[in-house]
C-alpha cells in the first residue's frame, strides 16, 4: 500500500482537472499511437506494392481463394461453435452435479493452451499413427481443411462456452419459469423466451468465435497441409510486401464490414418466437431427449475438444522414461534454445501485461464512465475491438512494416512487445470496462460526498471491487501473449516458445522432444489456470 | 375444481428447512393468503404448489390430481411473479396471448381471450407497448392478464404488489380480488403485508420458519390469535410480562411487574405460578385523565404523542415502568398532553394470555 503521506499527495493531485485530463489524454494518445494506428499505417505505407498482386492474376486468384477460405472456415466454425457450445454452457449452469464445476474448468483448457501447442496436439491426435489413426488405420484425418476446421472448433469453443455461461448465470430465470407456468414445454420456453432474451450474448459469442478463428495463424500452420487461408497465405509470402498488404487490407476491411454489419443488424434479428408446435416441442422436451443431448454434448467436448487438446501430453510421458526429461531439465542440446525461448515468452508476457495495465486502465475508465462524452466514448469502445478482429499475422506484418520503415533503430524486442501490446490490449480494456460499468455510480458519488478525491475513490472503492476482474484480465493478457504465434513469426526474428515449437515441427523433431516441449507449456498453462480459478473463487468473498 | 391440498410437505435447502411438514387445504374459489415475515418460507410454498421446485417430502394435490411430480406447464395454473417477469422482447399483446399460443389454442380463440383479459385489466389501448414502456401498475396488470389468459382456475400470486407504491397497491389489491371472484378462481396470494392480507383474503395462513402457525379468517386471526407471534404480527399488540397468580371462573389473575394485579381472559394450558405474557390491542385501552379507580386500571404518564390522521397514538409509561401504546380516534376525543397523568384501563375480555416463550419474548416476536 502507498504510504499515507504519498497517497494523500497523489489524491490531492488527482482532483486537479488538468492532471485528470492529462492522464486521459495520454492514454488516448498511446492507444492511437501504439495500438491502433501502427498496423493500419503499416499497410498504408506499402499501399503501392499492392500492384505486385494486381499485375499477377494467378497470385491475385490465390489471394482471393485464401481470403474466401478464411471467411468460410470462420463462419462455419463459429456456427457449429454456437450450436455445440450453448448446450455445454446450459449443462454447466443448469445441471445439479458437483462435477459440473470440474467440467467448467476443463472447458477453459483449450483457451489457455498456446495455440501452436494446440495445433501440434491435434495433429498427433487426428493424424499421427499414435493417435486415432492407430484405431482406424492410416491417417484418420490428414492435414487439410477438415483438420483446420477441427482445430478452429477446438480453440474457439471455450470462447462461446465462457460467454454463454456468463450470460446464463446473469439471466433472470423467472422469465423461463413464467413461460413454464403459462403452459410452455421446456423447449418452447427456451426457444421463445430464453434465447431471444439472450440474443445479444449469442451474437457476441458468435462474433468472438468468428474473430478468434479469422485471426489465428500459428496452430493452423501446423495442421493446414495444402490448405491455404488468409493468414497462411500471408505467412507463405512473408518478405513480399504486395501479398501482405493486399490480403491484410482485404481481411481487415471485410472483417470490419462483417463486424459492423453484425453490430447493426444483430439487434434487429428476429427470432421465430410466435409460432409454436406444442405437441412436437413437448416430445422434444422429454427427459430422454435432454439426456441424449447432454450425452452428445459431453461426447463432442471430450472427443473433439479436450482429449485432442491434451493429447500432446502422451509423448511427454514417454519422454520421462526415455531420458529426454533429464536432457530437457539440464538444458542439453536443443533444450538450451527451448528454455531461452520460454524465458523470452514469459519476459515479453510480463512486460506486455504490466504496460497494458498501465495504459489500458485509464481507457477502461474513459469507456465505462463516458469521461469524454457519450459519442466519443462510444467510438473508443468500438475502436478498442479492432486489434481483436485483425488476423494476428497481418497485424504483425503491418506492424513490422510500420516500425522498420520509420523507426529502423527500434530494437526487435520492442517490435515484439508492441505487437503483443496490440493483440492483448482489447482483452484487458474489455474486461476492465465491463467490471467498472457494473459498479454503481452511486458508490463513487458516495465516496466523493464523504470527502474522497478521485484517486482515493479509485483506491478505496473501484480497485477493491474490480481487483479480481483486473487480475483475470491480466492473466488473460499474459496467457494470450505467451501463446501468440502468428504476429510473432513475422514481426521479428526473435524466437519465442510457440515459434520454437513451430520450427521443431517443421524440422521433424523427435516426438518425445516435441511432446515434452509442448507438455511443459501445458503444465505452465495449468498452473496459470489454477491461479485464475483461485482468483475467481476469491470473488465469492464479496 | 381447483382446491389445493398439501400433505406433510417439506422442502430443505442444505441444512435449512424452508418448508417444514406443512399440511394445508385451500378450498375451491377461495382467496387465500400465505402471510409471514421475509424468509419464512411462504414463497417456497407457493413455488412448490406451482411445480417450480420439488418437495423433499410430502404430496401436493390440485383438485383430485396428485401433482407432486408434475412439471409446471402441466399443472394448469396461472402465476404472477413479484417482479412481473413480463417477457421484455414481447409487447403487451404477445405477453398476454403467450399462454393460449403455447397451449395450442387456435388463433381466433387466442385473440378472443387476449382481448377479453386486456379489457378486464383496462389496458386494451396499450397492447402494442413493450414492458419498458409501461408503469409499474400497468406492468402488474399485464402480468395478471397474462396469468388469467392461460385459462387456469388456480391463480398463484407471489407478492404481486410488492414493487408498487402505496396508493397503486391499495387500488390494485381490491381489483385483483374482484377479478378472481368474478371469474370464480381459486387464488393463493403470498404477502408479508398483514394489512394487505387482511383486506383481501377469505382466509390467511400465518407462516414462520417454514411452519404454519395458524390458519383462519382475518377476523379469527385478529380476535383470537393462538400465539404471541400471531398477536404481534397480525395487527398490533402491547405485551405485558407477569405470572399467573390465580385461576378462576372468569379467567386468570395476572401479577404484572411492580405487583400490579389484573384480571385477564382464560389462559390455555397454564397453571398458577406460570410465567405469562398478557397481550392487549392498543385500540381496546380506555384512557382517562387523572386518577380513576376501576377494574384493571393502572396509572401512567403520557410520554409521546403521534398524530396518524385517523388515529392518535399515545405512548404511556405505566407506574410499574412498563410502556404501552394506546390508539384513539383523533377526531372524536379530546387530546391528551405529553407529561399528563392518566389512568389506563382494559376489559378482561379484550386480553389474551400466553405462556412466556421458551426462547424469550423478544426472540419470539422477531420477524427477521
Amino acid at each position: 500500500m502507498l504510504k499515507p503521506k504519498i497517497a494523500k499527495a497523489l489524491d490531492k493531485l488527482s482532483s486537479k482537472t488538468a492532471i485528470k485530463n492529462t492522464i486521459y489524454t495520454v492514454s488516448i494518445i498511446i492507444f492511437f499511437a501504439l495500438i491502433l494506428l501502427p498496423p493500419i499505417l503499416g499497410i498504408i505505407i506499402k499501399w503501392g506494392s499492392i500492384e505486385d498482386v494486381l499485375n499477377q492474376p494467378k497470385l491475385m486468384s490465390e489471394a482471393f481463394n485464401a481470403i474466401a477460405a478464411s471467411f468460410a472456415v470462420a463462419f462455419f466454425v463459429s456456427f457449429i461453435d454456437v450450436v455445440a457450445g450453448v448446450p455445454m454452457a446450459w449443462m454447466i449452469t443448469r445441471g445439479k452435479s458437483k462435477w459440473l464445476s470440474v467440467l467448467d474448468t476443463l472447458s477453459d483448457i483449450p483457451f489457455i493452451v498456446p495455440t501452436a501447442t494446440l495445433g501440434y496436439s491435434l495433429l498427433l491426435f487426428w493424424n499421427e499413427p499414435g493417435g486415432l489413426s492407430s484405431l482406424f488405420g492410416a491417417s484418420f484425418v490428414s492435414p487439410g481443411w477438415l483438420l483446420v476446421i477441427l482445430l478452429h472448433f477446438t480453440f474457439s469453443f471455450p470462447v462461446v462456452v465462457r460467454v454463454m455461461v456468463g450470460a446464463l448465470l446473469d439471466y433472470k430465470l423467472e422469465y423461463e419459469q413464467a413461460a413454464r407456468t403459462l403452459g410452455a414445454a421446456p423447449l418452447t420456453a427456451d426457444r421463445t423466451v430464453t434465447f431471444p432474451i439472450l440474443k445479444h450474448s449469442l451474437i457476441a459469442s458468435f462474433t468472438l468465435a468468428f474473430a478468434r478463428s479469422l485471426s489465428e495463424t500459428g496452430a493452423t500452420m501446423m495442421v493446414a497441409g495444402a490448405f491455404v487461408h488468409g493468414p497462411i497465405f500471408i505467412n507463405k509470402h512473408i518478405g513480399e510486401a504486395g501479398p501482405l498488404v493486399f490480403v491484410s487490407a482485404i481481411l481487415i476491411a471485410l472483417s470490419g464490414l462483417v463486424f459492423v454489419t453484425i453490430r447493426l443488424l444483430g439487434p434487429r434479428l428476429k427470432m421465430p418466437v410466435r409460432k409454436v408446435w406444442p405437441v412436437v416441442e413437448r416430445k422434444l422436451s422429454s427427459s430422454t431427449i435432454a439426456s441424449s443431448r447432454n450425452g452428445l454434448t459431453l461426447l463432442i467436448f471430450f472427443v473433439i475438444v479436450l482429449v485432442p487438446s491434451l493429447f500432446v501430453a502422451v509423448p511427454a510421458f514417454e519422454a520421462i522414461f526415455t531420458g529426454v526429461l533429464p536432457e530437457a531439465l539440464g538444458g542439453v542440446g536443443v533444450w538450451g534454445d527451448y528454455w531461452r525461448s520460454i524465458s523470452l515468452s514469459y519476459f515479453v508476457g510480463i512486460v506486455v501485461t504490466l504496460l497494458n495495465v498501465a495504459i489500458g486502465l485509464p481507457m477502461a475508465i474513459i469507456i465505462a464512465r463516458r469521461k469524454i462524452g457519450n459519442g466519443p466514448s462510444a467510438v473508443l469502445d468500438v475502436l478498442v475491438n479492432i486489434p481483436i478482429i485483425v488476423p494476428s499475422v497481418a497485424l504483425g506484418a503491418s506492424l513490422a512494416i510500420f516500425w522498420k520503415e520509420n523507426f529502423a533503430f527500434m530494437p526487435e524486442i520492442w517490435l515484439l512487445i508492441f505487437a503483443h501490446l496490440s493483440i492483448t490490449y482489447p482483452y484487458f480494456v474489455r474486461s476492465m470496462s465491463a467490471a467498472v460499468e457494473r459498479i454503481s455510480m452511486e458508490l463513487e458519488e458516495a465516496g466523493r460526498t464523504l470527502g474522497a478525491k478521485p484517486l482515493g475513490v479509485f483506491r478505496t472503492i473501484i480497485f477493491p471491487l474490480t481487483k479480481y476482474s483486473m487480475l483475470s484480465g491480466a492473466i488473460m493478457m499474459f496467457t494470450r501473449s505467451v501463446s501468440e504465434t502468428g504476429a510473432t513469426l513475422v514481426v521479428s526474428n526473435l524466437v519465442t516458445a510457440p515459434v520454437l515449437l513451430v520450427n521443431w515441427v517443421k524440422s521433424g523433431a523427435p516426438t518425445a522432444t516435441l511432446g515434452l516441449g509442448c507438455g511443459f507449456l501445458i503444465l505452465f498453462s495449468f498452473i496459470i489456470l489454477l491461479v485464475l480459478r483461485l482468483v475467481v473463487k476469491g470473488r465469492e468473498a464479496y | 375444481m381447483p382446491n389445493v391440498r398439501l400433505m406433510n410437505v417439506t422442502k430443505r435447502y442444505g441444512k435449512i428447512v424452508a418448508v417444514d411438514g406443512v399440511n394445508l387445504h385451500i378450498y375451491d374459489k377461495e382467496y387465500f393468503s400465505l402471510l409471514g415475515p421475509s424468509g419464512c418460507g411462504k414463497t417456497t410454498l407457493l413455488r412448490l404448489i406451482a411445480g417450480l421446485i420439488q418437495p423433499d417430502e410430502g404430496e401436493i394435490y390440485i383438485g383430485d390430481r396428485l401433482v407432486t411430480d408434475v412439471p409446471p406447464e402441466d399443472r394448469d395454473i396461472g402465476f404472477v411473479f413479484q417482479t412481473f417477469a413480463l417477457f421484455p422482447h414481447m409487447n403487451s399483446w404477445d405477453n398476454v396471448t403467450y399462454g393460449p399460443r403455447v397451449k395450442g389454442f387456435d388463433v381466433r380463440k387466442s385473440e378472443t381471450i387476449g382481448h377479453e383479459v386486456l379489457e378486464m385489466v383496462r389496458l386494451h389501448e396499450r397492447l402494442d407497448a413493450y414492458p419498458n414502456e409501461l408503469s409499474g401498475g400497468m406492468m402488474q396488470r399485464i402480468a395478471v392478464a397474462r396469468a388469467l389468459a392461460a385459462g387456469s382456475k388456480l391463480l398463484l400470486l407471489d407478492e404481486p404488489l410488492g414493487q408498487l407504491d402505496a396508493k397503486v397497491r391499495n387500488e390494485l389489491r381490491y381489483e385483483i380480488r374482484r377479478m378472481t371472484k368474478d371469474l370464480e378462481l381459486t387464488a393463493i396470494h403470498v404477502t408479508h403485508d398483514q394489512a394487505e392480507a387482511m383486506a383481501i383474503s377469505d382466509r390467511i395462513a400465518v407462516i414462520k420458519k417454514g411452519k404454519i402457525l395458524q390458519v383462519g379468517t382475518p377476523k379469527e386471526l385478529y380476535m383470537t390469535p393462538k400465539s404471541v407471534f400471531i398477536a404481534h404480527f397480525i395487527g398490533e399488540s402491547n405485551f405485558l410480562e407477569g405470572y399467573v397468580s390465580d385461576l378462576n371462573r372468569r379467567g386468570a389473575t395476572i401479577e404484572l411487574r411492580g405487583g400490579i394485579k389484573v384480571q385477564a381472559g382464560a389462559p390455555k394450558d397454564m397453571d398458577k405460578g406460570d410465567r405469562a405474557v398478557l397481550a392487549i390491542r392498543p385500540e381496546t385501552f380506555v384512557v382517562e385523565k387523572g386518577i380513576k379507580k376501576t377494574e384493571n386500571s393502572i396509572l401512567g404518564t403520557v410520554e409521546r404523542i403521534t398524530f396518524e390522521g385517523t388515529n392518535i397514538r399515545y405512548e404511556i409509561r405505566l407506574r410499574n415502568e412498563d410502556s404501552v401504546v394506546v390508539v384513539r380516534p383523533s377526531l372524536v376525543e379530546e387530546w391528551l398532553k405529553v407529561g399528563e397523568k392518566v389512568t389506563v384501563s382494559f376489559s378482561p375480555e379484550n386480553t389474551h394470555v400466553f405462556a412466556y416463550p421458551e426462547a424469550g419474548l423478544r426472540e419470539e416476536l422477531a420477524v427477521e
Side-chain angles (χ1 to χ4, degrees):
Chain A
M1 289 300 286
L2 287 171
K3 286 185 178 172
K5 272 189 179 176
I6 304 173
K8 208 173 172 184
L10 289 175
D11 281 358
K12 207 173 172 185
L13 271 178
S14 72
S15 65
K16 294 189 187 303
T17 313
I19 299 281
K20 272 193 295 185
N21 288 345
T22 307
I23 291 171
Y24 294 139
T25 310
V26 168
S27 77
I28 292 171
I29 290 171
I30 290 177
F31 167 65
F32 279 98
L34 279 184
I35 312 288
L36 187 68
L37 291 180
I40 295 170
L41 290 174
I43 291 168
I44 293 171
I45 288 168
K46 287 284 181 186
W47 192 253
S49 61
I50 211 164
E51 283 187 13
D52 299 347
V53 180
L54 297 177
N55 294 333
Q56 296 181 63
K58 190 167 173 274
L59 189 62
M60 194 162 70
S61 156
E62 279 177 21
F64 276 126
N65 286 341
I67 291 164
S70 271
F71 279 93
V73 168
F75 269 117
F76 180 69
V77 164
S78 310
F79 178 73
I80 56 170
D81 265 333
V82 172
V83 171
V86 169
M88 178 81 170
W90 196 274
M91 196 160 54
I92 289 170
T93 50
R94 298 289 175 84
K96 291 187 174 73
S97 167
K98 60 181 178 180
W99 293 103
L100 289 171
S101 61
V102 177
L103 190 66
D104 191 18
T105 308
L106 289 177
S107 70
D108 272 344
I109 285 177
F111 188 50
I112 61 154
V113 173
T115 49
T117 312
L118 196 69
Y120 180 63
S121 193
L122 258 73
L123 193 69
L124 288 180
F125 181 76
W126 293 107
N127 176 61
E128 298 290 316
L132 272 190
S133 304
S134 62
L135 298 174
F136 296 96
S139 186
F140 185 60
V141 181
S142 302
W145 65 270
L146 183 56
L147 200 46
V148 169
I149 284 173
L150 285 169
L151 169 77
H152 282 223
F153 176 77
T154 304
F155 66 66
S156 53
F157 177 83
V159 177
V160 173
V161 173
R162 196 56 34 234
V163 172
M164 290 312 297
V165 163
L168 282 166
L169 287 175
D170 286 344
Y171 174 64
K172 211 167 98 180
L173 208 57
E174 274 190 354
Y175 293 128
E176 202 174 298
Q177 291 174 336
R180 296 282 302 277
T181 62
L182 291 166
L187 180 66
T188 313
D190 300 339
R191 188 177 62 77
T192 58
V193 175
T194 305
F195 289 134
I197 291 174
L198 295 179
K199 188 172 71 177
H200 290 283
S201 301
L202 286 168
I203 291 171
S205 66
F206 179 90
T207 313
L208 282 172
F210 183 80
R212 190 86 182 85
S213 169
L214 204 61
S215 65
E216 212 293 319
T217 314
T220 313
M221 279 162 45
M222 288 200 171
V223 301
F227 177 79
V228 177
H229 75 334
I232 292 180
F233 180 84
I234 292 172
N235 194 55
K236 268 176 75 177
H237 294 272
I238 212 90
E240 298 172 47
L244 188 149
V245 171
F246 184 78
V247 175
S248 298
I250 293 177
L251 274 177
I252 291 171
L254 280 182
S255 48
L257 191 69
V258 167
F259 282 88
V260 169
T261 309
I262 289 174
R263 209 178 176 90
L264 290 177
L265 297 184
R268 292 179 201 174
L269 185 74
K270 292 280 180 200
M271 287 192 162
V273 296
R274 286 196 64 84
K275 189 73 186 155
V276 175
W277 299 272
V279 180
V280 178
E281 291 184 322
R282 190 165 285 260
K283 279 182 184 163
L284 289 173
S285 300
S286 71
S287 56
T288 317
I289 298 276
S291 303
S292 309
R293 186 195 62 218
N294 287 344
L296 184 64
T297 303
L298 283 176
L299 189 73
I300 290 172
F301 173 64
F302 279 99
V303 175
I304 302 184
V305 179
L306 188 67
V307 176
S309 302
L310 296 176
F311 197 71
V312 70
V314 177
F317 282 116
E318 184 193 328
I320 296 170
F321 304 106
T322 55
V324 179
L325 183 64
E327 277 180 25
L329 293 175
V332 179
V334 292
W335 291 102
D337 292 339
Y338 178 80
W339 294 116
R340 269 190 293 281
S341 71
I342 288 264
S343 308
L344 177 65
S345 284
Y346 283 90
F347 169 74
V348 172
I350 289 168
V351 172
V352 163
T353 303
L354 293 176
L355 282 176
N356 263 345
V357 169
I359 62 175
L361 199 51
M363 183 60 98
I365 292 170
I366 290 171
I367 291 170
R369 294 296 189 225
R370 304 281 186 256
K371 289 285 183 189
I372 55 169
N374 281 339
S377 298
V379 171
L380 280 180
D381 194 15
V382 174
L383 290 180
V384 292
N385 287 321
I386 286 182
I388 288 186
I389 63 175
V390 177
S392 59
V393 69
L395 189 126
S398 48
L399 274 175
I401 293 168
F402 175 79
W403 291 109
K404 284 178 180 169
E405 294 274 326
N406 300 293
F407 305 90
F409 57 87
M410 187 73 72
E412 289 219 329
I413 185 75
W414 279 106
L415 287 186
L416 194 59
I417 287 169
F418 288 159
H420 284 213
L421 273 181
S422 283
I423 290 165
T424 58
Y425 181 86
Y427 288 95
F428 183 71
V429 175
R430 279 266 67 85
S431 119
M432 267 314 286
S433 63
V436 174
E437 240 166 321
R438 281 197 292 270
I439 298 172
S440 163
M441 267 302 282
E442 283 180 5
L443 293 181
E444 277 191 52
E445 287 162 357
R448 295 299 297 276
T449 57
L450 292 167
K453 306 286 184 197
L455 186 64
V457 169
F458 179 80
R459 277 192 303 111
T460 55
I461 297 169
I462 306 283
F463 178 70
L465 292 175
T466 58
K467 62 184 173 189
Y468 296 110
S469 296
M470 194 183 286
L471 206 56
S472 302
I475 291 171
M476 254 161 53
M477 277 195 293
F478 180 73
T479 51
R480 183 76 185 88
S481 168
V482 169
S483 69
E484 213 298 312
T485 318
T488 312
L489 271 167
V490 289
V491 83
S492 79
N493 293 320
L494 294 170
V495 181
T496 59
V499 172
L500 183 95
L501 289 172
V502 171
N503 292 342
W504 279 7
V505 171
K506 282 181 181 168
S507 64
T511 324
T513 307
L514 261 170
L516 192 61
C518 295
F520 278 129
L521 269 182
I522 289 182
L523 182 68
F524 300 146
S525 300
F526 263 118
I527 293 168
I528 291 163
L529 182 67
L530 197 64
V531 171
L532 183 66
R533 283 285 152 197
L534 288 175
V535 164
V536 172
K537 210 170 182 181
R539 257 184 107 152
E540 290 168 7
Y542 278 104
Chain B
M1 294 308 282
N3 60 343
V4 177
R5 280 178 298 141
L6 286 87
M7 296 169 74
N8 202 26
V9 171
T10 297
K11 177 69 185 174
R12 297 183 195 89
Y13 292 107
K15 287 179 182 172
I16 296 167
V17 185
V19 172
D20 191 0
V22 164
N23 288 291
L24 193 60
H25 189 171
I26 297 156
Y27 306 120
D28 183 29
K29 296 173 197 162
E30 186 175 32
Y31 201 108
F32 191 91
S33 288
L34 298 171
L35 173 68
S38 299
C40 71
K42 55 191 186 298
T43 292
T44 305
L45 200 54
L46 194 75
R47 287 174 161 260
L48 285 166
I49 296 169
L52 296 172
I53 47 176
Q54 303 303 315
D56 295 309
E57 289 165 26
E59 291 178 338
I60 300 169
Y61 289 86
I62 296 179
D64 294 329
R65 186 175 167 221
L66 176 66
V67 295
T68 315
D69 297 319
V70 174
E73 61 269 25
D74 294 334
R75 292 198 182 195
D76 198 19
I77 52 169
F79 197 109
V80 180
F81 290 82
Q82 186 176 9
T83 56
F84 314 133
L86 294 179
F87 306 136
H89 59 298
M90 295 183 196
N91 59 23
S92 302
W93 176 255
D94 287 339
N95 262 289
V96 165
T97 55
Y98 185 85
R101 275 190 287 126
V102 296
K103 284 185 172 173
F105 294 1
D106 64 55
V107 177
R108 185 173 290 181
K109 191 176 173 190
S110 298
E111 288 186 351
T112 308
I113 293 171
H115 288 299
E116 278 174 9
V117 292
L118 279 171
E119 277 303 332
M120 205 179 288
V121 297
R122 302 195 307 274
L123 276 174
H124 208 270
E125 75 284 4
R126 299 306 307 270
L127 53 84
D128 288 331
Y130 282 83
N132 61 3
E133 297 164 349
L134 299 170
S135 68
M138 287 175 179
M139 282 200 279
Q140 203 276 345
R141 284 178 185 178
I142 295 291
V144 172
R146 183 176 69 175
L148 295 177
S152 159
K153 287 288 179 187
L154 174 61
L155 184 64
L156 308 175
L157 305 112
D158 183 12
E159 306 222 23
L161 308 169
Q163 297 210 339
L164 305 175
D165 61 62
K167 205 78 179 165
V168 179
R169 199 162 60 222
N170 285 345
E171 281 171 17
L172 285 181
R173 65 191 189 191
Y174 297 113
E175 207 172 311
I176 292 174
R177 180 181 161 89
R178 177 185 56 77
M179 281 190 283
T180 58
K181 291 294 174 190
D182 288 350
L183 295 168
E184 300 190 326
L185 307 182
T186 305
I188 307 176
H189 181 124
V190 161
T191 180
H192 64 269
D193 182 344
Q194 55 94 15
E196 184 178 303
M198 300 277 279
I200 57 174
S201 312
D202 295 325
R203 283 194 307 149
I204 300 168
V206 181
I207 305 174
K208 189 185 179 193
K209 292 182 180 170
K211 290 189 171 176
I212 292 185
L213 300 183
Q214 189 173 349
V215 180
T217 63
K219 189 179 170 191
E220 282 167 356
L221 291 175
Y222 193 82
M223 304 296 277
T224 52
K226 285 184 179 169
S227 67
V228 177
F229 180 78
I230 303 276
H232 172 65
F233 196 69
I234 302 286
E236 194 180 1
S237 289
N238 292 287
F239 296 103
L240 300 171
E241 295 176 35
Y243 290 90
V244 178
S245 68
D246 189 26
L247 291 167
N248 48 48
R249 265 191 297 169
R250 287 182 64 200
T253 303
I254 307 292
E255 184 176 335
L256 304 176
R257 272 196 285 230
I260 300 171
K261 286 190 176 177
V262 293
Q263 186 63 38
K268 252 190 179 178
D269 304 326
M270 288 181 73
D271 294 322
K272 202 171 162 183
D274 284 353
R275 208 171 165 194
V277 176
L278 187 64
I280 309 164
R281 299 285 185 194
E283 69 275 16
T284 60
F285 279 115
V286 174
V287 190
E288 294 169 282
K289 289 183 180 180
I291 301 167
K292 309 283 178 186
K293 292 269 183 187
T294 54
E295 189 188 32
N296 287 352
S297 62
I298 309 170
L299 299 182
T301 308
V302 178
E303 280 199 331
R304 188 171 295 145
I305 301 172
T306 311
F307 177 62
E308 294 177 334
T310 312
N311 294 319
I312 188 156
R313 180 186 180 89
Y314 299 108
E315 284 179 47
I316 298 172
R317 175 74 59 190
L318 303 179
R319 72 177 168 86
N320 67 350
E321 289 303 308
D322 279 343
S323 184
V324 292
V325 170
V326 177
V327 173
R328 306 301 306 163
S330 61
L331 299 178
V332 294
E333 288 189 8
E334 190 189 345
W335 289 20
L336 302 169
K337 295 187 182 74
V338 172
E340 195 163 356
K341 302 285 180 197
V342 292
T343 301
V344 175
S345 61
F346 52 88
S347 158
E349 289 75 42
N350 289 332
T351 63
H352 300 281
V353 182
F354 301 104
Y356 190 86
E358 279 179 26
L361 184 58
R362 183 178 291 190
E363 286 71 19
E364 183 66 17
L365 300 182
V367 290
E368 285 294 330

